[in-house]
Amino acid sequence: MIRDIIHNNTLIGQVYDLNLIEGVGFPTSSEQTFQFGFGLIGEDKVLVPHIHRRVERTVQTTSEFLYVINGLMTIEIYSEDEEYVETVTLNDNQALLQHIGGHKISFQKGTRYFEIKQGPYYGRKFDKYNISD
């Protein structure tokens, strides 16, 4: 259900197949600046009302969470030193949380997906640069 993408002993990202989840879990470590949780609730449940405190955090990279609702997405993963790591294919109800590095994404026509990443986003020129294929 969870597959780590590791390059030079560094966690680049994780691939999740949410078709196979059981229970509730947060598979990302507490050291990651972007974390993912999932849940399959087996009975009625109510979480205690709570407020998220304002906490100052330092983030040095942009993590991205890509989730395919339905369709097909192919992602070529690159390390921070621009080295190709591997290709990930996501289908219905599958996701990638990429902590560091970069990627090239190809979509099959009709694919529905969503993407979440840290903000604020200052624009392509500030936050990204292109690498050669």
Side-chain angles (χ1 to χ4, degrees):
M1 188 209 63
I2 301 166
R3 184 173 65 79
D4 291 341
I5 300 171
I6 297 173
H7 178 72
N8 292 338
N9 296 317
T10 300
L11 180 65
I12 302 280
Q14 292 178 304
V15 178
Y16 308 103
D17 187 343
L18 300 173
N19 297 296
L20 305 175
I21 67 169
E22 293 181 11
V24 175
F26 276 83
T28 48
S29 72
S30 60
E31 292 82 35
Q32 298 299 329
T33 59
F34 205 69
Q35 296 171 322
F36 170 69
F38 61 82
L40 176 60
I41 308 301
E43 57 189 41
D44 291 352
K45 181 177 183 175
V46 176
L47 298 178
V48 176
H50 61 280
I51 303 294
H52 292 260
R53 299 174 193 255
R54 289 181 179 256
V55 178
E56 189 170 324
R57 294 177 168 93
T58 301
V59 178
Q60 297 176 347
T61 188
T62 302
S63 298
E64 279 186 278
F65 181 77
L66 299 162
Y67 174 82
V68 174
I69 299 166
N70 56 41
L72 179 70
M73 179 187 298
T74 303
I75 308 159
E76 294 177 16
I77 306 292
Y78 293 88
S79 67
E80 288 184 299
D81 60 1
E82 302 180 11
E83 188 175 337
Y84 169 80
V85 176
E86 71 173 80
T87 298
V88 171
T89 301
L90 301 178
N91 295 290
D92 299 0
N93 207 26
Q94 294 180 331
L96 167 71
L97 173 51
Q98 187 167 354
H99 298 289
I100 60 172
H103 47 245
K104 174 184 174 183
I105 304 173
S106 302
F107 301 91
Q108 183 180 62
K109 180 180 178 180
T111 296
R112 293 185 335 148
Y113 77 101
F114 66 82
E115 173 181 340
I116 302 170
K117 60 184 164 189
Q118 294 122 325
Y121 178 63
Y122 296 116
R124 183 171 184 80
K125 287 184 179 182
F126 184 85
D127 282 4
K128 301 176 184 181
Y129 70 93
N130 293 338
I131 57 176
S132 58
D133 288 331

